[in-house]
Amino acid sequence: MGRNQQRKKLQKKKKLEKITLATILLVVVIGIMWVARMGRTTEKATSQSTISSTTTPQTETAEQKFLKNVDLQSWEILLVGPDHKLTTSIDEATTLATVGAFQMNKNIVPAFEELEAAAQAAGYPLVIVSAYRSVAYQEKILNAAIQQKMASGMTYDEALADAKQTMTEPGYSEHHTGLALDVVDQSWYTNYSPELLHSNFGQTDGGKWLAANVAQYGFIIRYPEGKMAITKIDYEPWHIRYVGKENAEYMVKNNLTLEEFVEQVSKVQQK
């Protein structure tokens, strides 16, 4: 092989090496650019996802919408009890209506009459034992209960504590609102033993019917079994309270007392 051929072969080899090296560098550069571009795309997608998740509000449930729309100032859910004193006495002349021998808030009369008709049709005609009571009358019956218990051997403090298990002090009774009633069915009223307003009423067919159906008419069993730590009143299957149909059905469905319902509404509306 001559020198010229060797020179040409060497030049060709060097040229091939340069092309190979250039190709490798080009591939590396393209790879780096691709990786960088993918990183920016991923970062952008992540950023958009983050913005979307923080700016797009979560869909409210029907329950949340309901709670947000509850009017905490409504007369229907006025909270009165051992921990919640009635701050303003009602105007008896303009607020109350007479049903039989009793008075109640005139706004609840239609709902109670519907409940009464349904109970009658089901075979459990209702008897009202107590409805609206003024503060003065509440004081009178509380003192009478205390005297009765003292006559059985209790001290005044013992009698007061015992009476407050099922009664409230004047100013703290739901009966002052005209929205609460004590009712039993005719069978229990005729045959009760040992007391007319006794927790055993809740175990009767009439008591069970009342608990299962009052919410349809806007009422609740105000002092349910097992909730005394919250209501401060022992189980009273005869004590019904008007709160409005939607409120009542929600409370029964979720096993809430009025205290718990008001607290839940407050928390949702504060968010």
Side-chain angles (χ1 to χ4, degrees):
M1 183 182 296
R3 286 188 177 182
N4 287 336
Q5 289 180 324
Q6 288 180 342
R7 189 181 298 114
K8 288 179 179 180
K9 187 176 181 179
L10 183 60
Q11 288 175 346
K12 186 177 181 179
K13 182 179 180 181
K14 288 182 177 180
K15 186 177 181 180
L16 183 62
E17 289 176 349
K18 288 179 179 180
I19 292 172
T20 303
L21 181 60
T23 302
I24 293 172
L25 289 173
L26 180 61
V27 170
V28 170
V29 170
I30 291 173
I32 292 173
M33 292 174 65
W34 182 83
V35 170
R37 182 177 179 182
M38 289 300 294
R40 288 195 298 271
T41 301
T42 302
E43 182 179 354
K44 183 178 180 181
T46 302
S47 176
Q48 289 177 338
S49 176
T50 301
I51 292 172
S52 176
S53 64
T54 55
T55 59
T56 303
Q58 295 181 346
T59 303
E60 285 185 341
T61 64
E63 181 178 288
Q64 288 172 324
K65 288 181 179 179
F66 166 70
L67 294 173
K68 280 189 174 182
N69 289 326
V70 173
D71 181 6
L72 286 171
Q73 303 305 314
S74 171
W75 60 270
E76 292 181 338
I77 56 173
L78 175 64
L79 184 56
V80 178
D83 292 334
H84 304 276
K85 188 175 183 179
L86 182 67
T87 56
T88 304
S89 296
I90 67 172
D91 184 339
E92 296 183 5
T94 60
T95 305
L96 301 177
T98 300
V99 177
F102 298 90
Q103 290 182 302
M104 63 185 72
N105 187 304
K106 64 183 180 183
N107 293 317
I108 76 170
V109 172
F112 177 72
E113 289 178 340
E114 288 181 11
L115 172 63
E116 195 173 33
Q120 178 78 31
Y124 308 108
L126 298 180
V127 178
I128 301 176
V129 178
S130 181
Y132 169 74
R133 295 200 293 259
S134 66
V135 174
Y137 184 71
Q138 182 73 13
E139 185 171 3
K140 179 180 178 180
I141 63 171
L142 178 63
N143 287 335
I146 291 172
Q147 294 302 318
Q148 184 180 26
K149 293 176 186 299
M150 289 177 66
S152 67
M154 292 185 182
T155 65
Y156 175 82
D157 289 340
E158 290 171 340
L160 175 61
D162 190 62
K164 287 170 64 176
Q165 294 294 309
T166 55
M167 299 180 68
T168 51
E169 294 183 76
Y172 294 85
S173 173
E174 277 201 327
H175 286 284
H176 302 330
T177 68
L179 301 172
L181 302 94
D182 293 337
V183 298
V184 296
D185 73 326
Q186 184 65 57
S187 176
W188 178 264
Y189 185 79
T190 304
N191 303 298
Y192 69 87
S193 176
E195 301 172 27
L196 177 56
L197 299 181
H198 193 280
S199 61
N200 286 346
F201 170 64
Q203 303 305 313
T204 67
D205 291 341
K208 291 176 182 178
W209 184 92
L210 191 67
N213 291 276
V214 285
Q216 298 178 46
Y217 305 94
F219 293 88
I220 57 171
I221 300 298
R222 179 65 177 90
Y223 302 115
E225 195 167 13
K227 296 280 190 172
M228 185 178 175
I230 297 168
T231 64
K232 305 301 188 295
I233 297 290
D234 208 353
Y235 175 45
E236 293 189 354
W238 61 83
H239 184 115
I240 62 174
R241 158 68 195 266
Y242 186 82
V243 294
K245 188 174 185 294
E246 286 187 300
N247 297 333
E249 290 179 338
Y250 180 88
M251 291 165 66
V252 170
K253 178 183 176 182
N254 293 280
N255 191 31
L256 299 176
T257 63
L258 182 55
E259 286 84 358
E260 292 171 307
F261 177 68
V262 169
E263 181 180 8
Q264 191 176 100
V265 171
S266 298
K267 287 181 178 179
V268 169
Q269 294 186 0
Q270 287 171 3
K271 290 182 180 179

